Amino acid sequence: MPRVAVALLIGLLGFLLYVGAVVALADRVLELHWTVQTAYFVLAGVAWAWPAQRLMYWAARKDPPPPRRTRKA
């Protein structure tokens, strides 16, 4: 399977799990002070970008070509 397809599947599954966790935790955060809510939602809204960036760089990376075989005389 090509690296891009693997990254797509991992990215979609990971993002769905992340959104589920953020939404589940949001119920508890809504009872707290508004500054805590703001910090939580800013962090939760940005935190997914770092793993997604690493996954995209991994998917776009080219594998080095296989070593050339030399002919024996």
Side-chain angles (χ1 to χ4, degrees):
M1 187 179 282
R3 189 180 287 194
V4 174
V6 172
L8 177 67
L9 292 174
I10 291 171
L12 286 175
L13 180 63
F15 188 69
L16 288 174
L17 291 172
Y18 178 78
V19 168
V22 166
V23 169
L25 281 172
D27 288 337
R28 297 176 191 242
V29 173
L30 288 177
E31 301 168 356
L32 302 175
H33 194 267
W34 69 269
T35 55
V36 176
Q37 291 179 21
T38 302
Y40 173 76
F41 287 111
V42 167
L43 182 66
V46 175
W48 64 270
W50 291 298
Q53 177 189 20
R54 296 198 59 177
L55 189 62
M56 287 187 292
Y57 284 155
W58 175 79
R61 186 175 66 211
K62 300 287 185 199
D63 287 329
R68 297 179 82 187
R69 292 187 178 191
T70 57
R71 295 182 83 192
K72 294 183 179 180

